[in-house]
Amino acid sequence: SQQGEEDPQALSIQEGENATMNCSYKTSINNLQWYRQNSGRGLVHLILIRSNEREKHSGRLRVTLDTSKKSSSLLITASRAADTASYFCATDADRDDKIIFGKGTRLHILP
Amino acid sequence: EPEVTQTPSHQVTQMGQEVILRCVPISNHLYFYWYRQILGQKVEFLVSFYNNEISEKSEIFDDQFSVERPDGSNFTLKIRSTKLEDSAMYFCAIRVGEQYFGPGTRLTVT
């Protein structure tokens, strides 16, 4: 089954540094999305990248997609304390299909 | 961005009781989804609902679960006889291009 797996599972960095999280999946996709979740809270959609795109930017976020390697990365530049959260990649293959989430990366920004 | 609300935000119930979780998208949509997230684990797909029918369901979505759209706006998830392992966050989602999630309902089964 298609499944996103994030790497690393947990990441602690100093405020101001860049954070990079990776995601791998198994099958062909239509698009890949990244979500953020603060502890015990809802899912916040960050960015969607389509299978025919290689890179996308949104503010301090930069997402890349390599369909040949079935992998994606999320870069958060100039991290802030408020970026502390879990980050999930999620993939879907068909227009009305379910989203498959990875296990997530727990990001902790140290003051 | 489409707005999706869920009620209640937190539901505590005793094992064996029935619960109904509600999802209210602000505007009309065709594609609805329910996901759940057990504490500390990843988000798991439960069921997708299109044109008033279940289009896909996961192994988790057994006979204890049901979904319906009773009045054309609310979208509900019913668990007939809750078990301890049903304790989780339940997220409703709609699809408008990408999927937009509601804030979730935390279900605690005691």
Side-chain angles (χ1 to χ4, degrees):
Chain A
S1 64
Q2 62 200 51
Q3 183 177 19
E5 293 290 345
E6 289 85 347
D7 164 48
Q9 291 185 348
L11 178 64
S12 292
I13 61 172
Q14 294 293 137
E15 192 168 14
E17 293 181 342
N18 295 341
T20 299
M21 290 159 275
N22 303 296
C23 167
S24 60
Y25 56 92
K26 296 180 180 177
T27 62
S28 297
I29 60 170
N30 279 343
N31 59 59
L32 184 144
Q33 303 174 66
W34 284 91
Y35 290 84
R36 184 184 73 222
Q37 184 181 38
N38 290 81
S39 181
R41 307 291 292 275
L43 295 160
V44 176
H45 183 265
L46 295 176
I47 197 165
L48 177 149
I49 186 165
R50 303 193 187 284
S51 59
N52 61 353
E53 297 176 312
R54 293 295 167 260
E55 188 171 312
K56 204 162 183 179
H57 297 256
S58 177
R60 294 184 295 114
L61 305 181
R62 173 178 169 255
V63 169
T64 63
L65 179 64
D66 186 336
T67 53
S68 66
K69 295 181 180 178
K70 293 186 169 58
S71 67
S72 173
S73 68
L74 171 67
L75 169 67
I76 304 175
T77 60
S79 62
R80 304 168 182 169
D83 295 329
T84 293
S86 290
Y87 291 82
F88 296 90
C89 73
T91 57
D92 67 20
D94 298 314
R95 189 174 185 276
D96 60 348
D97 203 359
K98 58 188 177 290
I99 284 179
I100 301 294
F101 284 81
K103 294 180 181 178
T105 292
R106 294 187 309 279
L107 176 65
H108 186 203
I109 307 301
L110 303 169
Chain B
E1 182 173 312
E3 186 174 346
V4 183
T5 61
Q6 289 185 240
T7 59
S9 58
H10 191 188
Q11 173 88 47
V12 181
T13 188
Q14 287 189 329
M15 193 169 53
Q17 295 295 305
E18 174 184 285
V19 294
I20 297 176
L21 311 181
R22 290 185 171 78
C23 172
V24 185
I26 297 301
S27 55
N28 288 330
H29 296 282
L30 293 176
Y31 295 92
F32 297 87
Y33 306 80
W34 282 103
Y35 295 81
R36 80 169 186 191
Q37 184 184 32
I38 295 171
L39 184 63
Q41 298 186 23
K42 65 179 179 180
V43 179
E44 301 172 289
F45 168 76
L46 291 179
V47 65
S48 58
F49 191 82
Y50 169 68
N51 203 23
N52 294 322
E53 289 183 348
I54 290 176
S55 55
E56 187 175 357
K57 59 184 179 180
S58 71
E59 293 177 351
I60 303 168
F61 194 87
D62 60 22
D63 292 343
Q64 292 298 314
F65 292 88
S66 63
V67 290
E68 63 176 0
R69 200 176 177 199
D71 56 9
S73 67
N74 290 305
F75 179 53
T76 63
L77 174 69
K78 181 191 292 185
I79 309 175
R80 289 188 183 81
S81 178
T82 51
K83 303 185 286 288
L84 294 176
E85 53 265 38
D86 293 328
S87 294
M89 282 286 284
Y90 288 81
F91 294 103
C92 167
I94 60 171
R95 179 183 283 276
V96 182
E98 58 257 43
Q99 290 193 20
Y100 294 91
F101 286 79
T105 293
R106 180 174 298 282
L107 175 66
T108 302
V109 182
T110 62

